[in-house]
Amino acid sequence: MTTLLEPMWLLLALPLGVAVWLWRVPGFGTQVLRSIVCLLVVAALARVAVVLPGHGATVVVVADRSASMPEGMEQRQSELIATLASGMRTEDRLAVLGFGREVRVEQSPEHQPFGGFVTEVGSDASNIAEAVEAGLTMVPRDGEGRVIVLSDGRWTGRDLSQTAGRAAGRGIGVDYRVMERPVVNDLAIERLDGPARVTPEQEFLVAATLRAPTAQQVRYELSRGDRVIAGGTRDVAAGQSRLTFRDAVQSAGTASYTLRIRGEGDDPQLENNTARLLVGVEGRRPILLVSEKADPPLARLLRAGGLDVSAIGPSGFVGDLGQLGGYSAVVLEDVPARSFGNTRLANMAQWVQHAGGGLLMTGGPHSFGAGGYFEGPLDPVLPVSMELRQEHRKLATAMVLVIDRSGSMSGEPLAMAREASIMAVDMLTPVDEVGVVIFDGQANIASSLQSAGNAGAIKHDISRIQSAGGTNLHSGMVAARNMLRAATTQNRHVIVLSDGQTPDADHLGLVDELRQMNATVSTVALGAGVDRQLLEGIAQRGAGRYYETMDAKQLPRLFAQDIEIIARSTFIEELTPVASASNFRGLLGWSPGDVPAVGGYGLTYLREGAQLAIRTRDEYEAPLLAAWQAGLGRAVAYTGEADGEFTGPIAQWQEVGDMMTSMARWAAGEDNDLGDDMVLTQQLEEGRLRVRLHLDPRSDGPPFTDLPELTILRGHPGEGPVAEQVNMAYIAADELGYDVTLHGAETVIVTASIQRPGQNGEAVVAGAPVTLPYAPEYAPVTTRRGVESLRQLARASGGVERLDMGGVWSEMSRRPRMVDLSPYLLLIAAVVFLLEVFERRTGHVTNVMKLLRRRRVKQPSQSDAAQPAPTPARPAKAQPGQSARPVAAPAAGVASAAKPSAPPPAQDEGGDVLSAMDQARRKAGQRTRRRP
């Protein structure tokens, strides 16, 4: 079926036709082509369209996979989707989206059953609005569609009202199916409020709003950090009740409060029985010292220099943004990287770079490269690099890598094991020896023990390692022992990697044999199915280290860490003279004179852009004290040992306290006061952090050269933080602002960078850490986040509560498709117009047409070919009595009187015309110097 979408343009055909008739162009072909162009243009303006049968319907299922959903919800959702898929027609399509904090496509629109949920969405939030809008984009513009939400309705993020309007505008109904936990007898903390910032020793109130389903007795406990400051029982009535607490904090930083309640009956949702609150305390924030010493002398030395220092052990270092945000700097005193873990180190690195924090790392046998920090999260933050260089190796090492290649290691684990082994070869030098043993049900030699200078051949052997059968660790260690017997070096080491269980054998006896050969053994456990007790025992018996990870991507880092520790020359254990550098005064603010020697130091190299304050006076001339600006924060590296066996004569230096205090004070930075003309504030409301910069209305102009930039650092429990940069915008004449949406249990630190006129550098001001009491999706069901929000979404978009999943297809009709032909008509008109121009300039189109017509005329028809040839005339028969006489032929050139002569052949009139035109074109070409 064909129709016209803009028929009024047909009126243009009449004047165009008259114009074409009056202003003719030479040549019949040109006139025809121009008429066709005009007709196509009129048809395109009138928008000729073809109505075609519609596509099948598209249904998008939006499945809530957040933590507030009931247990077993994924299986139940898969069953509902399978029921929905069973009713599809041939032309129908089914798509599935999963959502939590993020929205992920589980299945694109296609005609096939759903294969199950496979993506990670972040379970601490429920971003329904974004998920539904993503589902709307999957429905074709000219097709029939529907979105079905499987959720409890406890949304986070953007409000659903705008989403409902977009669905209604598209004519797509949003249906819902309620899937929620039981909510009867849900006792909850509805709110936990306190001031955003207070001054030291200022009393303030922490207020909690409780919601109880029935009158009951509630037990409560309020903690500040690890200390319980209030507790008891309270009788509450049904509905809302309030608890208030009074507190005061003595020192600057961040006070972290946690309130826990417990009712009398079984509570179906315990997540909203615990709430958190962070309160910023103004003033100079203290410095956090992390040390394995019970009462570190370094802490006493810094306090004597006038610094506020809190000292804790590695186990007390939580390392999240809530804890880090309460301090101005962190000092790590000879603590190995394995004492923290990758996530806490990543938090620290991001806090320094994006929240303006400070870092001071001191040296020792367990710090820098020897402590496993090489290629870790803190490595790029430090002003010194820890790579191992060939010319600085003191002792050669013979190393054997024992790699598990069982079937469970196939895929990414074995690929990362190969990468870790190749990196280990690259870290060794030609004076070292390396071999590779692989084991499954039995051991095999992947690469024999040879000089690490043959790196190309060794890495080629490693790249060919493929997975195979079982796991026989003992056979692999026997092969490593036999290989080390041929080693020519005294320093020997074995690294064992396994991800599974192994048959019982005398593993520890084999380790004793290795120790007698002066070999140490380290082990790496990968995954949840490994025999951790065995591997840890092997490492302890072998005087090595035990590493454990669930992520195969961490294998290269763990191998590098172990190799750095084995290469003991990264920590120089000898008395070393040192000298101050030219940057000492500019960095620390005073001149030290002669600096005494140190008893040992970590061998590192100064990074480009870092400032050197003290260097060693030995063959390496390595940095002993260096610093630099790391993003928005500062980092200082002192590679000597601050307090221990290798401190050396510098410990008796009378100015050592000033040096250590100056280093810590420089790392902590200065309090960047914005002055009297600007104030930065934060306020948490409805899951959004409202950041405002208030300007002095009496000032003549803005006190900054560019719009202030905010760095938003987000940290989720158990995950590395993520940073983003945005610019503040004017929301009033004297006020700039930006709103930050918080998700789930994340902690957010917002840092403002302001460039003031006439000043070098930026003023950096970090706000106090902020967190939600708990994920908003756990809020009591009496709030607007719940089933009622799904009802409103469906009502506004034309959807319904979807109880019959299989019947949705029959409710949707196939919407016809209308294809507008205007673009195609215009394209054809352009081609014909070019053809018309070509005809006017050359006439070739007319020539070709005439040539074809002439050939058709000259070709005899079948009727003419069937005519018989004319019969020649016979001579007259002689009459009786007469003799036959021959008839004389007429003389040549004389016309016969009885029969006139045939006329000369006529010339082809069309040929004359073509010849005349050819001659005219040649002459015209000669005149215009064109090629004929």
Side-chain angles (χ1 to χ4, degrees), residues 838-873:
F838 177 75
E839 166 64 11
R840 278 192 287 112
R841 296 182 66 87
T842 66
H844 286 346
V845 177
T846 301
N847 294 342
V848 171
M849 293 175 61
K850 289 183 178 181
L851 182 61
L852 294 175
R853 186 168 63 252
R854 184 175 62 181
R855 288 182 177 178
R856 286 198 302 270
V857 171
K858 287 185 176 182
Q859 184 178 0
S861 63
Q862 294 182 358
S863 60
D864 295 338
Q867 295 290 337
T871 303

Side-chain angles (χ1 to χ4, degrees), residues 388-405:
L388 188 63
R389 298 184 180 179
Q390 174 181 345
E391 64 270 18
H392 294 162
R393 291 298 309 276
K394 295 287 189 181
L395 295 174
T397 301
M399 182 174 297
V400 178
L401 308 176
V402 182
I403 307 299
D404 184 351
R405 67 158 184 173

Side-chain angles (χ1 to χ4, degrees), residues 62 124 139 204 229 293-294 494 528 592 641 688 818 850 931:
V62 177
D124 59 350
V139 179
F204 58 91
I229 61 174
K293 300 179 177 65
V494 178
E641 189 172 23
R688 299 176 70 85
M818 187 170 293
K850 289 183 178 181
R931 185 176 178 181

Side-chain angles (χ1 to χ4, degrees), residues 530-538 546:
V530 72
D531 191 341
R532 292 185 176 86
Q533 184 176 0
L534 172 63
L535 293 182
E536 189 170 9
I538 290 174
Y546 169 71

Side-chain angles (χ1 to χ4, degrees), residues 500-855:
Q501 303 287 329
T502 184
D504 292 335
D506 187 13
H507 296 94
L508 298 182
L510 189 57
V511 173
D512 291 339
E513 293 184 38
L514 288 167
R515 291 295 296 135
Q516 292 174 6
M517 299 166 57
N518 196 34
T520 55
V521 183
S522 293
T523 57
V524 181
L526 173 63
V530 72
D531 191 341
R532 292 185 176 86
Q533 184 176 0
L534 172 63
L535 293 182
E536 189 170 9
I538 290 174
Q540 291 177 352
R541 194 74 160 258
R545 282 139 302 280
Y546 169 71
Y547 306 94
E548 180 178 336
T549 181
M550 298 292 293
D551 185 4
K553 294 179 181 179
Q554 298 299 320
L555 292 179
R557 182 183 66 84
L558 297 179
F559 273 47
Q561 179 176 331
D562 193 63
I563 293 172
E564 281 286 342
I565 295 174
I566 291 304
R568 301 300 290 177
S569 57
T570 57
F571 185 78
I572 307 299
E573 300 179 1
E574 58 187 40
L575 190 67
T576 305
V578 299
S580 59
S582 58
N583 287 331
F584 192 103
R585 183 178 183 85
L587 185 64
L588 302 182
W590 54 281
S591 298
D594 293 334
V595 182
V598 295
Y601 69 96
L603 181 57
T604 61
Y605 307 94
L606 190 70
R607 292 189 191 272
E608 184 179 357
Q611 301 181 57
L612 178 65
I614 304 177
R615 63 170 180 83
T616 63
R617 288 195 298 164
D618 57 3
E619 58 180 309
Y620 305 130
E621 295 188 351
L624 185 76
L625 176 59
W628 72 350
Q629 189 80 28
L632 298 179
R634 296 177 174 183
V636 180
Y638 177 70
T639 61
E641 189 172 23
D643 177 63
E645 177 184 358
F646 301 100
T647 302
I650 198 173
Q652 310 303 323
W653 187 33
Q654 62 180 358
E655 295 180 334
V656 67
D658 292 337
M659 184 185 72
M660 292 294 181
T661 303
S662 299
M663 290 190 303
R665 183 176 287 112
W666 189 90
E670 301 176 357
D671 287 336
N672 288 307
D673 188 6
L674 295 178
D676 298 332
D677 54 351
M678 284 187 290
V679 177
L680 186 70
T681 62
Q682 297 182 157
Q683 187 176 4
L684 184 62
E685 294 180 358
E686 288 292 327
R688 299 176 70 85
L689 178 64
R690 305 185 184 279
V691 183
R692 299 292 182 263
L693 182 64
H694 304 274
L695 309 180
D696 188 351
R698 298 170 297 178
S699 61
D700 297 333
F704 40 77
T705 56
D706 295 314
L707 288 176
E709 184 180 71
L710 295 182
T711 300
I712 304 168
L713 188 61
R714 302 175 181 270
H716 288 271
E719 301 179 14
V722 178
E724 60 179 311
Q725 282 81 29
V726 297
N727 286 106
M728 302 187 76
Y730 278 98
I731 58 177
D734 302 314
E735 184 178 2
L736 292 88
Y738 188 84
D739 291 348
V740 182
T741 301
L742 275 68
H743 304 286
E746 74 176 0
T747 300
V748 172
I749 297 179
V750 177
T751 304
S753 303
I754 301 173
Q755 180 68 56
R756 307 203 64 152
Q759 291 186 357
N760 294 326
E762 296 178 326
V764 179
V765 179
V770 178
T771 187
L772 297 174
Y774 47 78
E777 58 181 6
Y778 295 130
V781 295
T782 53
T783 63
R784 59 195 179 96
R785 289 179 170 89
V787 178
E788 183 59 31
S789 63
L790 294 179
R791 292 196 184 101
Q792 294 176 0
L793 175 62
R795 188 181 304 116
S797 62
V800 297
E801 183 176 5
R802 180 59 58 184
L803 300 178
D804 180 16
M805 297 292 291
V808 65
W809 304 103
S810 60
E811 297 177 9
M812 293 186 293
S813 60
R814 289 175 43 159
R815 184 184 301 173
R817 291 184 300 133
M818 187 170 293
V819 180
D820 189 355
L821 301 181
S822 299
Y824 308 101
L825 295 176
L826 290 175
L827 179 61
I828 297 173
V831 173
V832 176
F833 177 73
L834 293 176
L835 191 61
E836 186 257 346
V837 173
F838 177 75
E839 166 64 11
R840 278 192 287 112
R841 296 182 66 87
T842 66
H844 286 346
V845 177
T846 301
N847 294 342
V848 171
M849 293 175 61
K850 289 183 178 181
L851 182 61
L852 294 175
R853 186 168 63 252
R854 184 175 62 181
R855 288 182 177 178

Side-chain angles (χ1 to χ4, degrees), residues 289 291 295-305 307 309-311 333:
L289 172 64
S291 174
D295 184 18
L298 180 58
R300 298 196 299 269
L301 190 66
L302 295 177
R303 293 189 187 108
L307 298 180
V309 179
S310 299
E333 185 190 8

Side-chain angles (χ1 to χ4, degrees), residues 231-256:
T233 59
R234 170 82 175 271
D235 292 327
V236 298
Q240 286 187 341
S241 302
R242 284 180 64 84
L243 290 175
T244 57
F245 308 92
R246 187 180 299 274
D247 194 27
V249 182
Q250 303 301 316
S251 59
T254 302
S256 176

